[in-house]
Amino acid sequence: MESSSYDGILLGMGNPLLDISAAVDEAFLSKYDIKPGNAILAEEKHLPMYDDLASKANVEYIAGGSTQNSIRVAQWMLQIPGATSYMGCIGKDKFGEEMKKDAQAAGVNAHYYEDDNAPTGTCAVCIVGGERSLVANLSAANCYKSEHLKRPENWGLVEKAKYIYIAGFFLMVSPDSIQLVAEHAAATNKVFMMNLSAPFICEFFRDAQEKALPYVDYIFGNETEARTFAKVCGWETENTEEIALKISQLPKASGTHKRITVITQGCDPVVVADDGKVKTFPVILLPKEKLVDTNGAGDAFVGGFLSQLVQEKSIDECVRAACYAANVIIQRSGCTYPEKPDFN
């Protein structure tokens, strides 16, 4: 394809958050009652933690937010200016300006809705032994409104896109925006994709998730999320392959595309359920001493996958690119990457 035909081909919508990332110890985790590897929303007891992290000598501020990470990685893998777009809500503040600068530097066409009152959302990233624990304080990200989406200059991004990706985290912010985009995708035979995103989404935002799922052509997630999803559905199995297959066979709104489920399992093989069959793909194993942190690994996996999907490559190629991207990101702090990919 000509690079012009890639113009705005991939659109993401989600919660733009600035990651406040630092290495901490077990005592820090117990002080704030957080578990390694988890992703949760900030409660009252977590609020002092942000300043606590910010005072650490090794603290880093990195543009994050699950969907935004995936879109940035897809853009990096594609190396085609303007191939990706993104929407979400930020505040009118220093962190918001930082976010705009980062998106621009990444080559992503970001249309942020700017909230007058709420500060830009942040995510505390607590790293213990390379394993990340996330505590998100959505703030402005929680203020996204479908009115913004309906403005012609923003809906234009939806119309231009052929592939649309939204992480499950957006279900708690603007399910009506998701519905608008999902219905548009089904009516125009576009590819609509989502992520299970976190166990708490599968547990506490189940209604919104159930409403969106019939429209989802590709669903991503990790093994913990998949097992939580299965438990909530009352499926009596912990087997990832079985769960992936069952998710892919749930009802669909449109028959144009069959649903494909892609589940990652850390260093264990990736599980893909497609058309009643399950395939597994080994991941690139990384020696422990090369692991910096797992923050953004799942997001990068999706970004790598999408970068090939929009080029109409095979599922095998999509997974190979997904594993490549995840492998690059876990050797760096946060969801960051070198100037150019060396994926071929």
Side-chain angles (χ1 to χ4, degrees), residues 201-278:
I201 296 288
C202 303
E203 289 174 306
F204 305 115
F205 292 88
R206 187 188 173 182
D207 294 351
Q209 195 180 50
E210 267 183 5
K211 213 175 151 201
L213 208 57
Y215 296 94
V216 179
D217 301 310
Y218 284 81
I219 183 94
F220 297 92
N222 67 26
E223 76 278 43
T224 322
E225 293 150 9
R227 287 184 183 130
T228 305
F229 185 91
K231 197 172 79 195
V232 170
C233 289
W235 301 341
E236 308 222 323
T237 177
E238 294 259 300
N239 180 308
T240 319
E241 296 185 24
E242 210 178 315
I243 296 167
L245 201 54
K246 282 173 104 79
I247 293 175
S248 70
Q249 290 165 337
L250 290 169
K252 265 191 110 278
S254 141
T256 312
H257 310 284
K258 47 192 191 318
R259 183 182 302 109
I260 295 177
T261 309
V262 184
I263 305 294
T264 59
Q265 313 188 81
C267 52
D268 292 328
V270 176
V271 173
V272 178
D274 174 10
D275 203 17
K277 292 183 286 294
V278 174

Side-chain angles (χ1 to χ4, degrees), residues 13 87-89 113 115 140-151 154 170 173-174 176-177 180:
M13 294 177 72
M87 286 187 262
C89 184
Y113 171 52
D115 189 87
N142 205 22
C143 301
Y144 190 84
K145 307 276 184 292
S146 57
E147 284 66 65
H148 177 262
L149 173 64
K150 290 172 184 163
R151 286 182 209 153
N154 301 323
F170 203 54
V173 172
S174 189
D176 55 333
S177 295
L180 284 170

